[in-house]
Structures are given as structure tokens and as C-alpha cells.
Amino acid sequence: VQADGTDGNCVTFVLHDEDHTLGNSLRYMVMKNPDVEFCGYCITHPSESKINFRIQTRGTLPAVEPFRKGLNDLMGVCQHVLNTFEVRLFLKSS
Amino acid sequence: PLAAAAMAMAAKRGTEEMRERVVLGEFGVRNVHTTDFPGNYPGYEDAWDQRRFEEAFRVDIIREEEAALEFDMVGIDAAIANAFRRILLAEVPTMAVEKVFVYNNTSIVQDEILAHRLGLIPIRADPRLFEYRNQGDEEGTEIDTLQFQLKIKCSRNPQAAKESSDPNELYFNHKVYSKHMTWVPLGNQTDLFPDADFRPVHDDILIALLRPGQEIDVLMHCVKGIGKDHAKFSPVATASYRLLPDITLLQPIEEEAAEMLQKCFSPGVIEIQNIKGKKVARVANARLDTFSREVFRHEGLKNLVRLARVRNHYIFSVESTGILPPDVLVSEAIKILMGKCQRFLNELDSVPME
């Protein structure tokens, strides 16, 4: 993880060893945050596995906050999906 | 006011369509991207709300077999469904043959071709019991390597009939199958896995053909790896999803038009009912359709039907190669996505941001 940007509001995170799998799902979760003005990701070169993930926030919120919130929200989604899936499997088998 | 209300209703239906359906037109697909982000639609509450997500989300298991699983995920977005699919294909680890030590190979099959074929054979070994091999470690320890041996020699059958030309009669061991691979325990693996039986998933995979005098004597090391590294490590035969089809008839369709409509779609999608003596078409089960768009080839029918897909209803189909059952694979894939998020959360907390 590496961050550089102008002030705390617009930050580009460089995530190593990642690709569309995490990039697109994280972008979706961060876009759902109403404080975020811009969120996008791109793969700098297909031979290198790293993504540039950029967040710009409205107002003066530091950009790390929506990033952290997006990661936490994505964890919450996965946890809920896992629980629901396992409950349904259990109900189906019994 | 009535006209205004009608216009408002039509506008609302339009946005509903844009939010919830991907529409297949005659020449292209519309409304592909998710647009329900906060601020795009006035009057809609789009910011992320875990509780709202949990209320709307559901999973239905349609068909569960030994090696294939078909289930529905409703209420999730394309980005996350695609992430699960990508992880199932490329990032769920399995064990597969990586290094082949060739002691003797006098068969027609070249060493490297034989090694390639051996690598692709699925090995029935639960990858969760093993660790990844350390970088640069050539020998392999017992916690990260499984050793298999394939030692087979083809010989002539002395009791064969004089004129027979059937190789099954003439030779012994002329076909090398995956059942000839035997597990050689390393170190304390016999104690670690007392009742485990590590072997290839299928016994009847043909590896090579031999003739009398040819033999193969190889030792194989299996390691844990992921599909991103080499496709032999991919645990699924294939994992795919499609969106639930949604067919709407914009006007009532009767008589011969109804018959023609039924032929345009996959069997079972449109059924013809007899209402007051007339044959009327009705959409019975849109899920079965494969959307060949045959409807658009008939001038009379193409404006009477709207073909669309429901944007957040995914029909997943996961087929496993037999190493792990498909429901375990899906659970592992979800845990891997959680692991990725956790990794970045830990990095955020540990590295001070300037």
C-alpha cells in the first residue's frame, strides 16, 4: 500500500498484488459512500499486478476514511453472504 | 393533473427500469452499468446500508450434486458477484504435481509432455491441510509437499493367441492410467494423516501408452498453488454466472403470433393458454431462456416483447474437478475475499499515513 496525493482529500493508493477482483468490488463499496466525490481504479500495466485506486472526498474528510469504511463494508458483505450461504446449505441438507 | 400523474408514473417506471433491468435491444444492450450510487437519483436512498442489504439479500440453492452446484444470489451487485467468480477460478488453492523427477522414461511420450500431463491431473488432497512451499525451497518438507510415484513397465503376454492383434491381449501394462500413481509418504506424513488416502481424483485418466520394453519411472512432488500461477491449480471445472432473464409481453399476443412466439424462445418459457376459446401467450418460466434473440428476426413480434435481465439476481453454476465439493469451494472463495480486505485493513493500521 502506498499513498500519494496533494492534500488529504485526494489520495491515490497503490495496491500491490491486486487486480479487478478486489479493485472493482472495493470501488463499488466506496462509491456507495455519500461523502465520496470521485472513486476509481485502474491497472497501470497488465504485466504488473498492481492497481491505482483513487479516492476524492467532498469537503475536508481525509481520503483514508472512505477507504477504511469501504474495506470494512466489503468485509461485512462477505461475512453476511457466507453466513446466508451456509445457513441455506444446512437447511437444504437437513 | 391526470396527464401529469401519468407522465410521473411513466418517468418513475423508466428510472425503475434503468435501475433494475439490463435491457437487450435488437442491436445492443442498454443500461449495463450500475448507476445506483448516492446522488444519482433524487428521492432514492442509495448510500450503503448494511441492514438494508441484509434484508434484501438472499441465497437459494437450486441444485446440489456431488460435483456441481447451482445457486442463486439475489440482491448483490455485479462487482462483488464477479469477484467471487474470479476468486473461484483463480485464487482458491489446490494441490497439483509441480516437480517431476524422471528416473527412467523410455516411452514414446517426451519427458516434458509427460510432466505437463501429470501436472494437470487433479489430486484428491485437501489443500487446507498443507502450507505453501517457501520461495527458493527446492527440497520440500512434509508440511508442504506430497510425493507420488509412477513406476510401470510394459511386457509381452506369452499366453496371447498367435494371430491376435488386440493390444489388450498382447501386452501387459501397455496403458498407463492415473490409478498407477502411488502415494509415497514423506517424513512423518503417515502420522499426520493416518487414514488419508491421497490419490488422483479419477482413476481412469490415460497418461501414456507403452509397448513391450518401455518403462516409466518418475517421482512427483505436489505442492499447493493457485490458479493465477498455473491453470492446473484451478479447483473448478468452470464457475460461471448469468443474470436472471425477464421477458415482458408489451401487448397481448394471440393465435398464430402466439405459436410463433413460443417457437422463438427455449422450450418451457412461453406457454399458450386457452382463454375464452382464443390462444393467448403467457410467460411461464423466464429462467429457462437462453436469450437467442430469435424474436428480433420476426418483424411482427419484435416490438411486442421486451427482453431484459434482472440486474441483481445472479444464477451461479459451479462445477468442481472433484478435489473439494463445490459448496466448500464457494465458502473458501468468500473467505479469501475477506482475507484480502483484512490484509489491507491491517496494512492501513500498521503503516502510518503521512
Side-chain angles (χ1 to χ4, degrees):
Chain A
V1 177
Q2 222 184 305
D4 53 46
T6 48
D7 50 0
N9 296 346
C10 326
V11 175
T12 302
F13 297 92
V14 179
L15 306 181
H16 293 275
D17 287 334
E18 287 301 331
D19 56 357
H20 302 285
T21 307
L22 188 67
N24 200 15
S25 35
L26 193 55
R27 178 200 63 89
Y28 174 76
M29 300 310 293
V30 173
M31 280 291 284
K32 281 288 204 182
N33 190 340
D35 294 325
V36 166
E37 186 186 14
F38 172 86
C39 169
Y41 80 99
C42 69
I43 299 198
T44 38
H45 192 276
S47 309
E48 304 176 333
S49 71
K50 65 180 191 186
I51 61 176
N52 280 0
F53 195 90
R54 184 169 175 86
I55 301 183
Q56 273 174 226
T57 57
R58 266 187 252 278
T60 53
L61 189 65
V64 192
E65 283 315 307
F67 186 60
R68 195 190 296 266
K69 182 168 186 304
L71 282 169
N72 280 323
D73 288 341
L74 191 55
M75 291 266 299
V77 169
C78 292
Q79 188 66 51
H80 180 72
V81 171
L82 187 62
N83 293 343
T84 321
F85 183 70
E86 298 199 329
V87 163
R88 296 299 301 198
L89 266 181
F90 179 68
L91 286 176
K92 186 104 199 277
S93 62
S94 63
Chain B
L2 209 60
M7 282 260 295
M9 269 296 287
K12 188 165 201 300
R13 242 181 291 127
T15 49
E16 288 282 333
E17 186 183 274
M18 195 151 68
R19 281 173 66 98
E20 286 177 23
R21 297 280 186 272
V22 177
V23 181
L24 277 71
E26 188 177 346
F27 296 112
V29 187
R30 291 183 281 125
N31 301 342
V32 175
H33 298 285
T34 8
T35 47
D36 55 347
F37 295 117
N40 279 349
Y41 296 100
Y44 281 93
E45 190 51 55
D46 279 331
W48 179 255
D49 186 2
Q50 178 81 6
R51 199 182 36 84
R52 241 200 344 250
F53 164 70
E54 288 185 11
E55 279 167 27
F57 180 70
R58 70 168 207 271
V59 172
D60 298 316
I61 305 203
I62 307 294
R63 199 167 40 97
E64 186 177 355
E65 287 162 24
E66 204 179 283
L69 175 67
E70 188 179 332
F71 66 98
D72 281 12
M73 269 210 239
V74 188
I76 203 174
D77 185 66
I80 307 177
N82 196 32
F84 290 144
R85 185 193 62 93
R86 287 174 68 100
I87 295 180
L88 273 170
L89 280 174
E91 298 191 39
V92 180
T94 54
M95 304 284 291
V97 172
E98 171 93 3
K99 275 204 182 346
V100 173
F101 299 95
V102 181
Y103 292 111
N104 190 355
N105 175 21
T106 41
S107 72
I108 276 289
V109 179
Q110 295 93 339
D111 288 349
E112 59 268 19
I113 307 290
L114 184 65
H116 183 241
R117 288 177 71 86
L118 290 170
L120 292 172
I121 298 175
I123 308 278
R124 186 195 298 283
D126 192 338
R128 295 170 288 184
L129 300 170
F130 294 91
E131 310 268 327
Y132 287 100
R133 196 181 263 201
N134 295 326
Q135 291 260 0
D137 180 7
E138 295 295 324
E139 289 296 315
T141 60
E142 52 246 357
I143 196 61
D144 58 34
T145 312
L146 268 182
Q147 210 174 40
F148 283 88
Q149 188 181 42
L150 178 63
K151 197 174 159 77
I152 190 163
K153 190 171 161 65
C154 178
S155 51
R156 198 178 289 277
N157 181 3
Q159 276 108 20
K162 269 294 157 59
E163 296 87 22
S164 83
S165 58
D166 177 13
N168 291 329
E169 267 190 37
L170 284 174
Y171 316 120
F172 287 136
N173 287 344
H174 70 284
K175 283 191 185 167
V176 181
Y177 286 107
S178 53
K179 66 175 186 257
H180 296 128
M181 282 167 65
T182 52
W183 177 42
V184 176
L186 270 180
N188 63 347
Q189 275 180 347
T190 30
D191 308 317
L192 280 177
F193 313 113
D195 40 332
D197 171 29
F198 295 124
R199 54 187 171 79
V201 175
H202 305 280
D203 283 333
D204 49 357
I205 301 179
L206 185 62
I207 302 177
L209 286 176
L210 299 175
R211 283 293 179 266
Q214 296 179 342
E215 72 172 288
I216 295 183
D217 181 5
V218 297
L219 194 66
M220 296 167 263
H221 278 193
C222 282
V223 294
K224 184 167 163 176
I226 57 176
K228 245 202 252 197
D229 178 24
H230 192 287
K232 69 190 177 201
F233 292 116
S234 181
V236 290
T238 190
S240 64
Y241 66 78
R242 62 190 178 105
L243 270 59
L244 181 75
D246 174 48
I247 304 175
T248 346
L249 301 177
L250 300 169
Q251 292 170 25
I253 301 187
E254 294 161 2
E255 300 299 335
E256 303 98 19
E259 297 274 329
M260 211 156 58
L261 193 73
Q262 194 178 40
K263 288 202 188 62
C264 286
F265 291 100
S266 312
V269 175
I270 302 267
E271 69 172 7
I272 309 240
Q273 286 177 329
N274 224 318
I275 298 187
K276 297 192 201 122
K278 280 197 297 184
K279 287 192 272 189
V280 178
R282 191 183 76 88
V283 178
N285 189 359
R287 193 197 166 96
L288 299 169
D289 195 29
T290 48
F291 272 175
S292 58
R293 296 192 195 178
E294 176 73 19
V295 163
F296 292 123
R297 295 182 61 216
H298 301 277
E299 279 302 322
L301 290 179
K302 70 179 178 191
N303 296 325
L304 305 178
V305 184
R306 188 192 75 165
L307 295 180
R309 290 195 187 265
V310 182
R311 193 192 284 289
N312 58 2
H313 185 134
Y314 293 90
I315 303 173
F316 272 83
S317 160
V318 178
E319 281 179 36
S320 155
T321 44
I323 304 177
L324 288 172
D327 40 326
V328 172
L329 284 176
V330 178
S331 309
E332 287 295 308
I334 304 178
K335 287 182 200 153
I336 288 178
L337 188 57
M338 282 203 287
K340 282 184 196 259
C341 295
Q342 191 62 47
R343 187 161 74 96
F344 286 112
L345 276 172
N346 293 343
E347 284 223 37
L348 259 189
D349 292 331
S350 62
V351 173
M353 291 278 135
E354 340 84 20

